[in-house]
Structures are given as structure tokens and as C-alpha cells.
Amino acid sequence: MTTHTAFVLNGEPVATQVRPDTTVLDLLRDHLGRKGTKEGCAEGDCGACTILFRRGGDAETPMLAANSCIMSVAQIDGGEIVTVEGLAGDGAVLNAVQDEMAKNGSSQCGFCTPGIAVALTGLLACNPDPDEDAIHDALAGNLCRCTGYRPIVDAARAAAARMRAEPAPAPATGENLVTSHTDAGGATAHRPRDLRGLLMLRRDHPDAVLLAGGTDLGVPLAGYETTWPETITTGHVAELRRVETGDGRWTFGAAVTWEEVLKAVAEDYPSFATLIRRFGSTQIRSMGTIGGNIGTASPIGDGPPALIALGATITLVSLEGGERTMRLEDFFLDYRKTELRPDEVIASVTVPRARAGEILRTYKISKRYDQDISTVCGAYWLAMDGGTVSDIRIAYGGMAATPKRASHAEAALRGKALTVATAREAGAALASDFKPLTDWRGSATYRERTAAGLLERLARDVAGETVEVMAL
Ligand SMILES: Cc1cc2nc3c(=O)[nH]c(=O)nc-3n(C[C@H](O)[C@H](O)[C@H](O)COP(=O)(O)OP(=O)(O)OC[C@H]3O[C@@H](n4cnc5c(N)ncnc54)[C@H](O)[C@@H]3O)c2cc1C
Ligand code: FES
Ligand code: FES
């Protein structure tokens, strides 16, 4: 029985005996005295707690920015962490990002500054020559309330130029030492390495929390609203971490992160890639997984509408029942109710690749462009035969208790030309598909009008008329 969690912090091995359901932020600040990592919102929104993280077993992958406030100690065993204290490495005081932030006046009160320095260091480690969009993307999960972003972006550009001219030593990292479980402080974390091990644990510990990236589950943990006496993590299960390409489709293991999905789909489906780039922030996408997004079964999750429109299938697996594969749209039964049985896990999601004559568009409507969940998310897949819609799948999030197909709207467009007039007819048919709710994100009427408006936008977009709408 392993009673500690082992990981590498700023290049040095650390073993800790805190409970595995402690947040990494609390571990750093309260147990290891690393106070440079700040707590702002404690729910993954502000980026003050940003660290660089690499999972145990992922030695080849770069270290990515992640929110330590919603990450649990269960997830870091065998992994590597770099905090603001370790950015400079090799005994230096500041790295190029920190130095340029000081020179460019990129900090006033300083509360956001460590998180921003870490996030930008993470960006430059993956992308030494980022354009303006890439810098803004990397900062979408870091809120600064007093400096303003211009000097921060200037510092990022200056640091990138400096690092290209004289590459700085990479932040100190270490070795991987994943253990199979930790038992500390009355809480246990199991870390299976393969699917069979995961399924045995799932069968034997049906009440354990099944934890992937923790970007949904970690929010109540960070708010001290819950504890996890027993956790099973999926992040080290080799079969769940794979992306398989072949036969005109991708099969994404359930523990593949959104950042990894983004890389895979960007060329085939630029519109899906735009949607994924608006999925939380780099910090959220580097931890949040495709399986977790489906498993959480939120009616306003962004993955399911796009995946349903693409005709994705999902494979569930259990030790006793074996595998079953179904259309993703059939997985969702009712509000937060799914086909998943207590002894099952989501193994993978299979997504067809783009073929000639097919079109995919996705539109996310949220109160804020970045780092916000959808009020309405519309996804549209069309097969065109000349100017006629020969086949179509439309799926919406935010319009019902589950992500759902709009079969009446589809019928209104099938076999017709896609024009503003036919899109308006399809918009009217949505009344037979959905009876949306009013909540603080939007009224039922707002949702109905928005969903219909998006169909008109689809027609204009496909006809090449649409001006990019940034946020509504
Ligand atoms: C600040 C912030 C911004 C966000 N922005 C967005 C956004 O823009 N769009 C969006 O859709 N979501 C967003 N989310 C929600 C979240 O990031 C996603 O739903 C993410 O994909 C969840 O994945 P995860 O791996 O972190 O899941 P976890 O939190 O680890 O798990 C979520 C659920 O899925 C279950 N689960 C995980 N893996 C499996 C499996 N293999 N089999 C069965 N069940 C499984 C878990 O048991 C749990 O019930 C945001 C969250 C935060 C905190
Ligand atoms: S403290 Fe705000 S994202 Fe973690
Ligand atoms: S410098 Fe004050 S919040 Fe950014």
C-alpha cells in the first residue's frame, strides 16, 4: 500500500502524504510553502493558480498550463509540475517572460502576474513564434483586472523574440514515477495503467469517483463542497489515452484531452476547431477530456452537439458485459441521465473524417467569447448534392435537457436547396423539436430565436455571405 504521492516539482522529487483529494493548489501553498501560485476564483476561471503540468507516463508531451485549483493530488502522481518559483531554472531569478513583463509594465497589483508568466512560458515552450491570436488564446484563461492586456501581449512578443535568439534553459523537469495507488489521510486514489485494471476497479469500487481531467469534478472539490474518499483516475490508462486514425475515422480514447482533439480535427473541420478553441481556456483544454465532457452529460456541453452532428459513436465497456457501441445521440437519456451502467466506463468516441461534398458548421453563443459555457450551441452537418441538401444532421445544446437532434428542422431542409428562405422554414420547425427552459443564461424565447437565427446564419455562411460574428 503506497501511502504517499510522488511527483517532480520544479525539477526536484517530492513525496507527500496529504489526502489524494486535496487540491494541488492547497498542496502547493499550504503544505509545500510555494505561495507564488495564487488563488483567485477557485473554479478554473481566472488563471491565478496556473502551473505547468505533465502527466506521469507522458514524458514525450510538452508541459502544458493547467489550473491547480481544480486539479487534485490524485492526478499528479508520477507527473511533473513547474510553478512560478521554478520558471527561471538554473538558479536564474527571472526567465525571459518574467523579465519582459517587468520591462513592459505588464503588472500592477501583481495578483494575476505569476499565473500569466506561467501561462506564457507554457505557450512559448510549445510555440516559439506565436502570432497575436495564439498569444490571446494562451491568455484567454488568465484574467487581469488592472493592467490591461496590451503590455502583457507586448511582453509575450518580446520574450518570444529573445527566446528565439538565445534559447533559455527549459524549466527544470524530472522523471516519471507513477504508482498504482495512494492511500493517505483516509482517502484512496487508484491509478490503473490499462483498461482491464480500470474495469476491475470500476466493478469492485462502484462508489469511487471516476476522475479524468477533473475540470468538472474539481470545481466542487476546490470549493470544499465535497470530498472523495475513493478515486479511480483514468489519466494513465493507455487504451484511453490513444488517438487512432484509420478507415476514414478517428477513434479518441475517452481520456484524450480537448487540446489533443483540437490538434487532430483542425485540418478536417476548421469550424469544430474554432468551437474547441472557445472551450474553456488552454488550462481547461489541456486537462479536460472528451470522455469527461460526455460523461458529465451537461445539456450545455460543447462537445456533444458537434459530435452528434458529425455522426459520432461511443463505445462503453465493462468487465462482465464487454463492449457496446451506440450513436452518441442515443447515449443521452434525460437531464444528466445516460446509458452508462454503474460498472461501465466510456472507452472511446469514434468520429468520421471529412469527405468531399460534406459541410460542418458549429456556432457557440455565450455571454462572453472566451472561457464561457454556451447559452445555445448549434452544430450542422450537411451532405450536398449539387445545390441540394441530400442529407443533414442538426444538433443543439442548451435547447433541451440533453444535447439533441433537431429532426423536424432537418426534415424541413432535406432534399431542398439551402437558402435563407428554407433556413427560415427550418427555424420555424424547431418549435416542434424543442421547448427550451428559461435560466440565467437566457430566456426560452431568446433560445428559440437564437437557434432559428443560427440556421439563417448557416445558410448565409455556406453561401459565403457571413461576416464572422465574434460574440453575442
Ligand atoms: C472554467 C471552466 C470552463 C469550462 N468551459 C467549458 C466549455 O466551454 N465547454 C464545455 O463543454 N465544457 C466546459 N467546461 C466543463 C469541462 O471542462 C468539460 O466538461 C470537460 O470536457 C470535462 O472533462 P474532464 O476530463 O475534466 O471530466 P471530469 O471532471 O474528470 O469528469 C466529468 C464526469 O465525466 C465522468 N467521466 C470521466 N471519464 C469517464 C469515462 N471514461 N467513462 C465514464 N465516465 C467518465 C466523471 O466520472 C464525471 O462524472 C468548463 C469547465 C471549467 C471549470
Ligand atoms: S484560482 Fe482561479 S483558475 Fe484557479
Ligand atoms: S496586475 Fe492586477 S490583476 Fe493583473
Side-chain angles (χ1 to χ4, degrees):
M1 185 83 37
T2 314
T3 54
H4 64 264
T5 302
F7 64 102
V8 174
L9 173 62
N10 299 331
E12 301 293 330
V14 173
T16 175
Q17 292 189 331
V18 303
R19 282 172 62 107
D21 59 348
T22 307
T23 68
V24 172
L25 180 62
D26 284 352
L27 170 69
L28 290 171
R29 290 183 59 84
D30 300 344
H31 298 269
L32 300 176
R34 300 300 205 283
K35 304 277 188 186
T37 308
K38 306 296 178 203
E39 175 170 324
C41 63
E43 51 186 30
D45 275 317
C46 74
C49 66
T50 302
I51 56 171
L52 295 180
F53 175 64
R54 171 163 44 213
R55 224 181 250 100
D58 281 2
E60 303 305 311
T61 61
M63 298 193 79
L64 293 175
N67 297 123
S68 61
C69 66
I70 55 173
M71 188 190 289
S72 63
V73 169
Q75 294 170 267
I76 63 170
D77 192 66
E80 297 170 23
I81 288 177
V82 172
T83 64
V84 67
E85 292 92 348
L87 283 187
D90 273 0
V93 179
L94 301 176
N95 75 357
V97 171
Q98 293 167 301
D99 192 40
E100 288 301 333
M101 286 184 76
K103 288 182 176 142
N104 282 273
S106 314
S107 178
Q108 285 189 20
C109 79
F111 197 79
C112 69
T113 305
I116 288 182
V118 173
L120 288 177
T121 302
L123 167 71
L124 299 185
C126 302
N127 180 357
D129 192 8
D131 61 15
E132 186 92 0
D133 283 351
I135 296 172
H136 283 285
D137 242 17
L139 291 171
N142 292 81
L143 298 184
C144 176
R145 300 310 294 262
C146 46
T147 302
Y149 286 84
R150 184 75 269 148
I152 297 173
V153 172
D154 289 346
R157 275 214 221 85
R162 248 173 80 176
M163 286 167 75
R164 283 195 305 276
E166 34 173 297
T173 61
E175 290 172 21
N176 291 306
L177 347 125
V178 189
T179 58
S180 62
H181 62 263
T182 308
D183 196 10
T188 304
H190 304 276
R191 284 182 214 90
R193 308 289 282 274
D194 59 25
L195 188 55
R196 188 173 165 75
L198 172 66
L199 296 179
M200 285 169 69
L201 286 161
R202 192 74 184 134
R203 180 196 60 190
D204 297 342
H205 304 272
D207 295 330
V209 172
L210 186 65
L211 176 67
T215 59
D216 277 310
L217 288 170
V219 175
L221 190 73
Y224 306 113
E225 293 159 33
T226 187
T227 57
W228 299 335
E230 194 156 32
T231 314
I232 305 170
T233 61
T234 63
H236 302 115
V237 177
E239 295 91 331
L240 266 51
R241 293 279 306 130
R242 278 185 203 138
V243 180
E244 283 168 13
T245 313
D247 200 19
R249 55 199 65 238
W250 301 282
T251 297
F252 296 104
V256 170
T257 65
W258 280 110
E259 206 55 31
E260 291 161 343
V261 176
L262 173 59
K263 281 199 183 76
V265 304
E267 207 175 312
D268 280 41
Y269 296 120
S271 175
F272 190 18
T274 301
L275 179 72
I276 300 174
R277 262 186 222 105
R278 292 183 58 194
F279 191 115
S281 56
T282 304
Q283 287 91 327
I284 294 294
R285 292 191 300 272
S286 68
M287 294 302 294
T289 63
I290 188 168
N293 196 229
I294 293 168
T296 205
S298 165
I300 49 173
D302 287 325
L307 294 167
I308 290 172
L310 282 169
T313 57
I314 182 170
T315 298
L316 312 179
V317 58
S318 68
L319 206 57
E320 319 293 341
E323 264 188 25
R324 53 192 187 119
T325 297
M326 64 192 70
R327 296 186 309 175
L328 180 59
E329 64 196 79
D330 299 329
F331 176 72
F332 301 105
L333 301 177
D334 203 343
Y335 180 69
R336 304 262 185 191
K337 288 210 176 74
T338 68
E339 276 281 346
L340 196 73
R341 296 179 191 141
D343 64 339
E344 275 181 328
V345 302
I346 302 168
S348 60
V349 183
T350 298
V351 183
R353 299 195 58 174
R355 285 179 305 195
E358 296 176 354
I359 293 168
L360 178 83
R361 291 290 187 279
T362 62
Y363 306 122
K364 170 170 175 167
I365 306 299
S366 52
K367 285 180 179 281
R368 198 153 65 98
Y369 184 81
D370 282 318
Q371 183 72 311
D372 198 4
I373 306 259
S374 294
T375 308
V376 175
C377 181
Y380 313 84
W381 171 89
L382 302 99
M384 303 300 289
D385 185 2
T388 305
V389 177
S390 60
D391 199 5
I392 183 163
R393 282 189 294 268
I394 300 175
Y396 281 98
M399 293 293 289
T402 63
K404 186 171 167 289
R405 288 269 294 266
S407 52
H408 290 86
E410 290 172 4
L413 283 172
R414 204 170 276 117
K416 302 208 181 120
L418 178 64
T419 64
V420 169
T422 56
R424 285 185 181 154
E425 284 165 24
L430 285 175
S432 306
D433 286 315
F434 300 111
K435 297 276 173 280
L437 288 176
T438 293
D439 65 12
W440 69 270
R441 289 182 191 278
S443 67
T445 308
Y446 172 80
R447 287 190 154 98
E448 280 160 5
R449 289 187 185 163
T450 300
L454 290 181
L455 278 161
E456 191 174 326
R457 180 174 167 188
L458 171 74
R460 294 186 187 281
D461 191 359
V462 170
E465 290 175 31
T466 301
V467 177
E468 183 67 21
V469 179
M470 292 295 285
L472 292 174

